[in-house]
Structure formats: C-alpha cells, structure tokens
Amino acid sequence: MSQIKEFIKQNEGRFLEDLFALIRIPSVSAQSEHKPDMQRCAEHWREHLLSLGVQTVEIYQTAGNPIVFGHYEKDPSLPTILVYAHYDVMPPEPLELWKSEPFEPEVRDGHIWARGADDDKGQSMIQVKGFETAMALGLVHCNVKFLFEGEEEIGSTHLEQFCREHLEMLRADNIIVSDTSMVSAETPSLTTGLRGLAYWEIEVTGANHDLHSGHFGGAVANPINELCKLIAQVQDKDGRITIPHFYDDVVPLSDEERAMIAKIPFSEEEYKKFLDVDDLFGEVGYHTLERNSCRPSFDVCGIWGGYQGEGAKTVLPSKAYAKVSCRLVANQDHHTVSEAFIKYIEQIAPKYVRVKVTPMHGGEAYLCPIDLPAYQAAEEAIAVAFGKRPLAVRRGGSIPIIAAFERVFGIKTILMGFGLESNAIHSPNENMPLDIFYKGIESVAEFYKIYPKR
Amino acid sequence: MSQIKEFIKQNEGRFLEDLFALIRIPSVSAQSEHKPDMQRCAEHWREHLLSLGVQTVEIYQTAGNPIVFGHYEKDPSLPTILVYAHYDVMPPEPLELWKSEPFEPEVRDGHIWARGADDDKGQSMIQVKGFETAMALGLVHCNVKFLFEGEEEIGSTHLEQFCREHLEMLRADNIIVSDTSMVSAETPSLTTGLRGLAYWEIEVTGANHDLHSGHFGGAVANPINELCKLIAQVQDKDGRITIPHFYDDVVPLSDEERAMIAKIPFSEEEYKKFLDVDDLFGEVGYHTLERNSCRPSFDVCGIWGGYQGEGAKTVLPSKAYAKVSCRLVANQDHHTVSEAFIKYIEQIAPKYVRVKVTPMHGGEAYLCPIDLPAYQAAEEAIAVAFGKRPLAVRRGGSIPIIAAFERVFGIKTILMGFGLESNAIHSPNENMPLDIFYKGIESVAEFYKIYPKR
C-alpha cells in the first residue's frame, strides 16, 4: 500500500467528519433566508484552511456572498496552483423526496447522502484533504492558492470582478477545480469541455386579477395558455432551438471529436433504464453523448401559475411564470444568445398578454487542451488512484466562472472532477460513494506528488 | 316604502350578522383539512332554517360532504319551490392578495368582503332572508324545500345520486337558485343559460428523478417543455379548440340570440380597462359576450413543475402538471368531450414522456325557457326590487347540477342570481355590494308574494 493510501486509510473517519461539519451549514445561495449561513460557511473554511498550514486565509466581503482566499506559500520561485471551489449549494427542495435530511449527512449503503455531498462540498473537501495528505507527507512542491466562493449556483455574480481587482494576489500557473463528474466509477475521466449557460425568467400577465374561468373564459387571454404557446415555439419537433441566429456561432463537432466520443463506454438501453424512460429525445442527427455535452439545449427549469392545490379549482389566472435556460457550447456568447432570446419572445408574444423576460445569469462554454503539464499530472494522478487512465471528455454542465478565469487571467483550468451522474446533484438524495471520496483524495495527493516535477 | 322594503330595512343589521356567521365557517370543499368545517356548516344551516319556521330540516351524510334538506310545508295542494344552494366555497389562495381575512368578513366601501360573500354564501343567504321576510309578512303561498349541498365547487359529486334516491322527497314544480350573476348593478338580468364543464389534470413524467440540466439537457425530454407543447396544441391561433370532433355537437348561435346579445350594454373599451389588458383574445368570428357565454373555451387553470423558488436553479425536472378545463355549451356531452380530449392528448403525446390525463369533474350546459310562470314571477320580482325589468341572458359559468336536476326531476331551474362580475368570485377579495344584498332579499320576498298567483 502506498504511503498516500495508508495516510488516507488512517484518517478516513476524520476526513468524513470534516466533510459532515461543512455540509451541516445550509449555505443555499439562491434563498435569501440562508444569508447568515453563507458567512458562517466562509468562516468555517477559513478556520479549516488555517488549521492545515495554509499561512494566510482571508475572507473578502462582496456585494453578494463572501469570498475565501487562502495562500500556502512554499517558495515564490515555484509554480503556483490555484484551487477554485464553491461553498454554496442548490436549494434542497422538493424536501419530501429526500430519504434523509439534506443538511444532516448520513452514510447508507456505502454512500454519503446530503445536499452538497458531491456539488461542491464533497468535491472541495476532496481537494482540501488531498492537499492535507500531501502536506502531511511532504509531497507539496508548489505554491497553492485557495479561492472559495459562495455564488456559483447563482451565477458567480461577483467573482469575476473580484478576480479583476485582485489579479496579482490570484496569479497562478494553472487553476484546478473539482466540480465536474467522471464518465463512471469504472471509467474515470477528466473534463476537457463545459457548456455555457443562459437563464431567464418569463412572466406573462393577462388580466390584472384572477378571473372566473366561466365568466371570462374564451373572451380573455389566459396567461398560462399563452406561456405554453411561447415555450412550445422555442424548440421544433427535431429538437432544434428556433431562436433566430441561435446556432450562428456554434463550432461544429469535428470528425475527430465524434470519434473520441464514440469511444466512451455507453449503452443507450442502460441509460434509458437508469432514467426509466421509454425513449430519448434530442436534436436530430446527434448521439446522446454529443447532445448532452457538445450541443446546446433548451430546458424549462420551472413553471408555475394558477391553482396548484388539491381538487379542481376553476380559475383564469392573472399571471404565469417560467424559469428557462439554454446550455451553450463553444463559441456561443451568452449575452448575444440572451438578447436573441428576449427579442424572439417579444416578437412572438401576442399583444393580448404582457410578457416580461428577465435575464437571470449566464456564462460561456470552455475547452481545455490535453497537452498541458498540469493536465497530464492530473491524468497520471487519477491513473494511480483509480487504476485506470482517465478519458478526456467534454461534459454538459456549466461552470461559467471557468471561462471567465481564462478571460481574466489568461490561464487554463484543469477540471479534475470526481462526481458521478448517479450522485443526483441539484436533486433530492444527492450523494457521493465513500470509495470515490477517498480515491479522489488520493488522486489529489498524487497530483501534488507529481506536479510540477514532470 | 313597500312593506317588504320596510321589513328588510328594520332587519338589515341582523341579516348581515347571519351572513357573517355563515362566512366564518371556512367550508372549503377542495381542501381535505376543512372536512370538519363542512359538517359544522351543514349543522349551522339546519339550526338556522329551523329557527325560521321550516318545519323539518335533516342532514344527510353522503360519501362526500353532508347535504341539508329542509321542508316548509304550507299546504300539499299548493305548488312547491325547491331552493338549491351550496354552502361550500373555493380555496382562498393566494392569501397574500387579500386585503382582509377571507373568513373574517369585513364591510368596506359599501361592500361585504370575504370568501363566499357572493358565491354562494351571500346569494344563499339572500334566498333564505327573502324567504324569512316573506314568511314574516305572511306572503309565502307555496311549499318551499331547501336543498343545500357542500360539494358544488368540486363537481357536486354525490348530489345527483342523492336526488335519484330521494325523488319523492325532493319533488317540486320548479327549482330556484341564486348562484349566478347579473349583467351589472344597473342592468339586472336573469340567467337563461349556463355553460358546461370538463376538467382534467395532466401529469407528464420524464426521467424518474430530477436531473441536472447540464448533464442531461438536450439528451432527455423535459416534461415541462413537453407539457407546454401539448397545451399549445389544444387551441389554434384563431382561438378554436383543436380536439377532434370537439364542435360536432355544439348548437350554433341563432341570429335571434345574437341579436338579443347585441342588446346587452357592453363597452369593449371599459371591459379591457376593467381587466387592464391591451387586447382581447377569443374565437375568431364571435363577439366577446358570445365568446364568454355561448361558445366553448379552453383554459389552463393551474400549472406547475420544477423549481419555483427564488433565484436561478437549473434543473431538468422529472414531472410537470397542469389542471385544464373546457367550458362547454349546449349540446356538448361532457363525457364525450372528456374522452375526446384524453384520446387527443394520448395521440399527440410523444413516446419519450409518459402522459396521464385524469378527468376531475364535469357537467352539461343548461338552457331555460322564458315563458315559465316561475321565470316570469322572478322577472317581475326583480323589476320591483331593482326598478328595471331584468334582461334574459346566457352566462358563461357552469353549475353542472342544474343540468342534472333537469335530467333527474324533469323540471326547469330559475337562475335568479344577484352576483356581479366585479364581485371577484373564486378570486382574492371576493365581495358583494351591500345594496345588492338587500335588493336581492327584496327580490326573493317579492317572488314569494307573486308566486304562484300568476
């Protein structure tokens, strides 16, 4: 057994407890009642990083949630790794579908169950415990900076400006992030691409108060009917998005990339079985693994209006709402897409309802080359921990700040994520397999052992 | 001042208190937590009717909410009027839009404000106080039966069977109901037609759990997107319903009826101003007053799915729901329409989602001839109280049990309603103008004075 494996084995209970303490702070950035938890969580990280030998750790207040910055300075002449993570989590709703409390982590069937077990508390703890392990064994041969924010799930609103204002402080050779997922537990992978995102809220108003659908139905536009018609016009029957000029800047998939994607182990039957669907739906002409990573998508994330309670209340409501989003791919500009969407909806909206489209947040897609030394160190580290060389794959999720880092610092980010699709991030019963948690820590420790010696 | 007017004037405070006591029982039939209130409300009516000299009042339990039956027997050889009303009310939600407590009635600006102020507690109290007034003045020349149910707002589920099982007990010459509205306070009217109703809940299921829209978006059908597409396919751009065979049984509007409708005072500009809409939308080729009373309609009464909270949560939800309804007109059979709708949705539903359509309730449309003695007595009574002969108009609402009464008893119902569109029934801030409440009572007392002498 390697020295690293042994150290992790000896400390596994404590590592888990450290994660649990972090999870118990319900740092939900989307819900304003959790505002005090954001500060608590930032302070918790500061104390924890200081306890590991990171010499300086500061909390920076922003107009939103605080940013934690830590600096472990080994030797100014050595290369510097910036570890980025986020301490905020998604809302736990719908609560009734959780099998255990979202903010009281539980180990069941070899998994950790809790909101944030993976995204991103589990994964950020993998980074920190990997660093701790490497530190304990004298294996850290670089400077390490930690940048932990509390607004990733709501669009990293203040981080880019913070980066621009602290260019020198944050200077590094590469960024390393654990906030993505692997192909599977058996097929480790590194993420070389991310999708971008544009997100809007649509509000449709009919009459200025709820109406009796008997007295007014048929004579006055129903905002829910009209919202549905608008949404139905954003995607055609071939799964293509109908917003004018939407695909103008999309970089077509190369034959090489399609060939690489074809190498990823994938069974459509198992995928359908996992999802419990009779059939899949996506853009005509593309494979599932292309659709969910290299092609844009349009999803209604939430919709509401009128009576949602028990029974059969008849009402012609005054308002209807939807939260809708597009995943974007290289080289779509999210501002351009956002404006095109708003223009399109305004153009197709009938004049008998009032339609307001509010852009909520957005971010660009990202691509990472596989010949960077830091990428290769990560590849080798994972190969040691998982016993298998990781595939290089593009993933469908979005971490808008990754593209921003490249814009601001001019450096690339290594997406060394340890999530699994079955971890149910953003959903009830989010979880992380225990063995992945420990293999992740091992991978990060191995990374420090290797980097920057190659 | 007439003897009737005088009596009402002397008793107006007490009449109002009697209504308030009834309103304070939150008898919401659609919400199961109010089950005990249904029994309380039925018992309240029994005690009240007994106190007015109705000789026998019984509460009949059903598989749903109790039915109150009272019988004032003047002389078996005289004609009998059956007064039908309902003591259940609609849910008060959304609560935040009420200016005063829905179940704590308040008089403001000359109106009574409360859930049920009109529908149907206010109107049923008009009937009962009119009867009380006529009784006090020795003006009741017929037998009067009272049939008060607690399930009108959820489809009168058990009333029709109850009627079939108590044919002899309920035997009458005409039914009289105050549960409709007048053209306006200045233009009193009697309702000669009602629309029918069909109501369904649609459930669309995609994957069996909520998914990360980044990891799965574009590759797996989104049930909200698909629900919107289904709903968008139920109505065309001309406002016509696209369910196959939907209009097959609709009786076309006659030229005579269109001419009568054209006599109703109506300003489209004022109507739009009242609703605060820039334009109206309805079936091409019909006037607003035809659309909302003599033509069928399709309305989404409620929709929900995914994330509805604060902020921008990205999620590809597992489920989406809608409550949808059609108002029907003579001679549409609600069962036939319901089956046609279910068949249509199942036919257009794509195989990559699972769609379940559950019929919730329904009822037929109703038409009343204007040459009935009871209709003419009502017409004359209203003319006395309001100083103006009431118009005969078809209305857009549905009281499914009215058509059922005709099927079961073979008799017609006089729809002697005193509501106003501005009373906001089924909505927040339901209300009833005080002067209409008292004029209604006067009309009912005048009705007893006239009927059956004509």
Side-chain angles (χ1 to χ4, degrees):
Chain A
M1 196 187 268
S2 77
Q3 190 191 16
I4 288 174
K5 266 199 206 328
E6 204 164 328
F7 183 87
I8 294 169
K9 189 80 203 156
Q10 282 162 0
N11 290 278
E12 61 181 24
R14 186 172 57 79
F15 286 180
L16 204 58
E17 275 312 316
D18 287 346
L19 172 58
F20 285 8
L22 182 67
I23 285 173
R24 286 191 188 105
I25 305 168
S27 47
V28 180
S29 50
Q31 295 170 341
S32 49
E33 71 263 33
H34 288 293
K35 194 78 189 163
D37 297 316
M38 310 314 291
Q39 180 68 25
R40 273 176 62 211
C41 204
E43 284 167 10
H44 184 91
W45 263 131
R46 179 178 57 188
E47 297 315 310
H48 195 68
L49 291 174
L50 285 170
S51 77
L52 303 181
V54 179
Q55 296 104 332
T56 57
V57 188
E58 296 292 338
I59 293 177
Y60 291 83
Q61 297 302 330
T62 72
N65 295 327
I67 289 168
V68 183
F69 174 72
H71 186 186
Y72 167 70
E73 191 171 54
K74 173 96 177 170
D75 175 347
S77 68
L78 288 172
T80 300
I81 286 292
L82 175 69
V83 177
Y84 161 79
H86 65 92
Y87 64 81
D88 63 322
V89 293
M90 292 294 280
E93 287 80 8
L95 293 173
E96 67 278 12
L97 296 183
W98 284 81
K99 289 187 189 132
S100 54
E101 292 299 314
F103 296 110
E104 186 44 58
E106 195 175 295
V107 172
R108 277 194 323 272
D109 309 327
H111 291 240
I112 307 153
W113 301 87
R115 170 58 81 232
D118 171 332
D119 179 19
D120 186 36
K121 288 179 172 171
Q123 296 222 49
S124 55
M125 197 52 85
I126 284 174
Q127 276 295 333
V128 170
K129 295 293 122 177
F131 170 78
E132 179 182 339
T133 302
M135 285 284 281
L137 302 174
L139 301 173
V140 178
H141 313 298
C142 59
N143 305 302
V144 185
K145 293 177 177 174
F146 296 90
L147 177 66
F148 290 0
E149 70 149 325
E151 300 186 304
E152 196 273 342
E153 300 294 8
I154 51 169
S156 299
T157 326
H158 301 94
L159 187 57
E160 183 168 345
Q161 194 188 334
F162 178 83
C163 291
R164 291 190 191 282
E165 289 168 1
H166 298 85
L167 279 177
E168 188 47 38
M169 178 177 96
L170 296 169
R171 197 187 47 75
D173 295 275
N174 280 116
I175 300 171
I176 189 159
V177 177
S178 292
D179 195 22
T180 49
S181 58
M182 303 187 304
V183 168
S184 72
E186 298 73 36
T187 308
S189 59
L190 277 157
T191 297
T192 53
L194 290 167
R195 291 198 284 189
L197 179 73
Y199 196 110
W200 308 265
E201 186 168 305
I202 308 176
E203 178 191 85
V204 180
T205 306
N208 61 359
H209 61 286
D210 285 0
L211 301 172
H212 188 292
S213 71
H215 299 172
F216 294 91
V220 184
N222 180 317
I224 308 182
N225 291 34
E226 299 308 320
L227 175 61
C228 289
K229 288 179 200 171
L230 293 176
I231 289 169
Q233 289 177 74
V234 179
Q235 200 179 25
D236 69 15
K237 64 177 179 35
D238 291 335
R240 279 180 69 86
I241 293 156
T242 51
I243 303 164
H245 304 291
F246 182 83
Y247 292 96
D248 283 5
D249 298 326
V250 170
V251 176
L253 260 175
S254 67
D255 289 347
E256 290 75 10
E257 194 146 19
R258 298 189 89 163
M260 195 155 79
I261 290 166
K263 280 190 201 146
I264 300 172
F266 180 77
S267 154
E268 194 168 291
E269 282 316 305
E270 274 173 34
Y271 191 75
K272 291 198 292 191
K273 207 170 146 191
F274 166 67
L275 299 167
D276 190 22
V277 295
D278 296 326
D279 211 346
L280 300 172
F281 173 65
E283 192 183 355
V284 165
Y286 293 91
H287 184 269
T288 293
L289 293 182
E290 295 168 345
R291 289 170 174 171
N292 71 8
S293 64
C294 308
R295 296 293 299 172
S297 61
F298 172 72
D299 276 297
V300 184
C301 298
I303 194 165
W304 68 102
Y307 184 68
Q308 305 177 20
E310 200 184 338
K313 179 177 173 178
T314 53
V315 63
L316 199 172
S318 164
K319 299 251 187 199
Y321 300 87
K323 290 178 192 272
V324 303
S325 73
C326 278
R327 296 286 167 170
L328 309 176
V329 297
N331 278 331
Q332 291 182 289
D333 175 78
H334 76 90
H335 296 291
T336 308
V337 168
S338 185
E339 282 160 25
F341 177 76
I342 293 170
K343 198 175 150 192
Y344 177 57
I345 295 295
E346 283 171 353
Q347 177 208 317
I348 63 174
K351 62 182 173 172
Y352 38 79
V353 288
R354 287 172 195 157
V355 177
K356 195 172 100 188
V357 185
T358 310
M360 303 281 282
H361 75 83
E364 311 303 343
Y366 172 72
L367 281 178
C368 175
I370 59 174
D371 55 2
L372 297 175
Y375 178 87
Q376 290 172 350
E379 199 174 30
E380 198 173 313
I382 290 173
V384 171
F386 285 77
K388 207 183 259 183
R389 194 147 211 89
L391 290 178
V393 296
R394 277 165 74 172
R395 312 294 293 175
S398 310
I399 314 179
I401 198 65
I402 303 299
F405 287 152
E406 190 171 6
R407 269 199 316 276
V408 175
F409 302 124
I411 57 171
K412 286 287 183 182
T413 295
I414 314 304
L415 295 160
M416 192 184 187
F418 300 98
L420 295 175
E421 275 181 4
S422 53
N423 287 5
I425 69 168
H426 293 204
S427 300
N429 303 307
E430 179 174 350
N431 68 93
M432 161 85 79
L434 276 173
D435 70 321
I436 299 283
F437 181 63
Y438 297 120
K439 279 184 189 167
I441 294 169
E442 185 184 350
S443 304
V444 173
E446 289 287 348
F447 173 85
Y448 285 113
K449 188 175 158 192
I450 298 160
Y451 184 84
K453 279 197 278 183
R454 289 181 62 98
Chain B
M1 194 189 270
S2 79
Q3 191 191 16
I4 288 173
K5 266 198 202 334
E6 202 163 331
F7 183 86
I8 294 168
K9 190 80 202 155
Q10 281 160 3
N11 290 277
E12 62 181 23
R14 186 172 57 79
F15 286 179
L16 203 58
E17 275 311 317
D18 286 346
L19 171 59
F20 284 8
L22 182 68
I23 284 172
R24 287 191 187 105
I25 305 169
S27 46
V28 180
S29 51
Q31 295 170 342
S32 49
E33 72 264 33
H34 287 293
K35 194 77 190 165
D37 297 316
M38 309 316 290
Q39 179 68 28
R40 274 175 62 210
C41 204
E43 283 166 11
H44 185 91
W45 264 130
R46 179 177 58 189
E47 297 315 308
H48 195 68
L49 290 175
L50 284 170
S51 77
L52 303 181
V54 179
Q55 297 105 333
T56 57
V57 188
E58 296 292 337
I59 292 176
Y60 291 83
Q61 297 302 330
T62 71
N65 295 328
I67 289 169
V68 183
F69 174 73
H71 187 184
Y72 167 70
E73 192 170 53
K74 171 96 177 172
D75 175 347
S77 68
L78 289 171
T80 300
I81 285 293
L82 175 68
V83 177
Y84 161 80
H86 65 93
Y87 64 82
D88 64 321
V89 293
M90 291 296 277
E93 286 80 9
L95 293 173
E96 66 277 14
L97 296 183
W98 284 83
K99 288 187 191 133
S100 54
E101 292 300 313
F103 296 111
E104 186 44 60
E106 195 174 296
V107 172
R108 277 196 322 274
D109 310 324
H111 291 240
I112 306 153
W113 302 87
R115 171 57 83 232
D118 172 332
D119 180 18
D120 187 39
K121 289 179 172 171
Q123 295 223 48
S124 56
M125 197 52 85
I126 284 174
Q127 276 294 330
V128 169
K129 296 292 121 177
F131 169 79
E132 179 182 337
T133 301
M135 284 284 281
L137 302 174
L139 301 173
V140 178
H141 313 298
C142 60
N143 305 302
V144 185
K145 293 176 177 175
F146 296 90
L147 176 67
F148 290 1
E149 69 148 326
E151 300 184 306
E152 197 271 342
E153 300 293 9
I154 52 168
S156 299
T157 326
H158 300 95
L159 186 59
E160 182 168 346
Q161 194 188 334
F162 179 83
C163 291
R164 291 189 192 282
E165 289 168 0
H166 299 85
L167 280 177
E168 187 48 35
M169 179 177 95
L170 296 168
R171 196 186 50 73
D173 294 276
N174 280 116
I175 299 171
I176 189 160
V177 177
S178 292
D179 194 21
T180 48
S181 59
M182 303 189 305
V183 169
S184 73
E186 298 71 38
T187 309
S189 58
L190 277 157
T191 297
T192 53
L194 291 167
R195 289 199 285 189
L197 180 72
Y199 196 109
W200 308 265
E201 187 168 304
I202 307 178
E203 179 191 84
V204 180
T205 307
N208 61 359
H209 60 286
D210 284 1
L211 301 172
H212 188 291
S213 71
H215 299 173
F216 294 92
V220 184
N222 180 317
I224 307 182
N225 292 33
E226 298 309 320
L227 175 61
C228 290
K229 290 180 197 170
L230 292 176
I231 288 169
Q233 289 178 73
V234 179
Q235 200 180 25
D236 69 16
K237 63 175 181 39
D238 290 335
R240 282 181 66 87
I241 293 157
T242 52
I243 304 164
H245 304 292
F246 183 83
Y247 292 97
D248 284 5
D249 298 327
V250 170
V251 176
L253 260 176
S254 67
D255 290 347
E256 289 76 10
E257 194 146 18
R258 298 190 89 163
M260 195 155 77
I261 290 167
K263 280 189 200 146
I264 300 171
F266 179 79
S267 153
E268 195 168 289
E269 283 316 306
E270 275 173 34
Y271 190 75
K272 290 198 291 191
K273 206 170 147 191
F274 165 66
L275 298 167
D276 190 22
V277 295
D278 296 326
D279 211 345
L280 300 173
F281 174 65
E283 192 183 354
V284 165
Y286 293 91
H287 184 270
T288 293
L289 293 182
E290 295 167 345
R291 289 169 174 171
N292 71 8
S293 64
C294 308
R295 296 295 298 173
S297 61
F298 172 73
D299 276 297
V300 184
C301 298
I303 194 165
W304 68 102
Y307 184 67
Q308 305 177 20
E310 200 184 335
K313 178 176 172 178
T314 53
V315 63
L316 199 171
S318 165
K319 300 250 186 199
Y321 301 87
K323 290 178 191 271
V324 302
S325 73
C326 279
R327 297 287 166 168
L328 309 176
V329 298
N331 279 333
Q332 290 183 291
D333 176 77
H334 76 90
H335 296 291
T336 308
V337 168
S338 186
E339 283 160 25
F341 177 75
I342 293 171
K343 198 175 148 190
Y344 177 57
I345 294 295
E346 283 172 354
Q347 178 210 315
I348 63 174
K351 63 182 173 171
Y352 39 78
V353 288
R354 289 173 195 157
V355 178
K356 195 170 100 188
V357 184
T358 309
M360 303 281 281
H361 75 83
E364 310 304 341
Y366 171 73
L367 282 178
C368 174
I370 60 173
D371 55 3
L372 296 175
Y375 178 88
Q376 290 172 349
E379 200 174 29
E380 199 173 311
I382 290 173
V384 171
F386 284 78
K388 207 183 260 182
R389 195 147 211 90
L391 290 179
V393 295
R394 278 164 74 171
R395 310 295 291 176
S398 310
I399 314 178
I401 198 65
I402 304 300
F405 287 151
E406 189 171 7
R407 270 199 314 277
V408 175
F409 301 124
I411 57 171
K412 286 289 183 181
T413 295
I414 313 306
L415 295 162
M416 192 183 186
F418 300 98
L420 295 175
E421 274 181 7
S422 53
N423 288 4
I425 69 169
H426 293 206
S427 300
N429 303 309
E430 179 174 349
N431 68 92
M432 161 85 80
L434 276 173
D435 71 320
I436 299 284
F437 181 63
Y438 296 121
K439 279 184 189 167
I441 294 169
E442 184 184 352
S443 304
V444 174
E446 289 286 349
F447 172 85
Y448 284 113
K449 186 176 161 193
I450 299 160
Y451 182 84
K453 279 197 278 185
R454 288 181 63 97

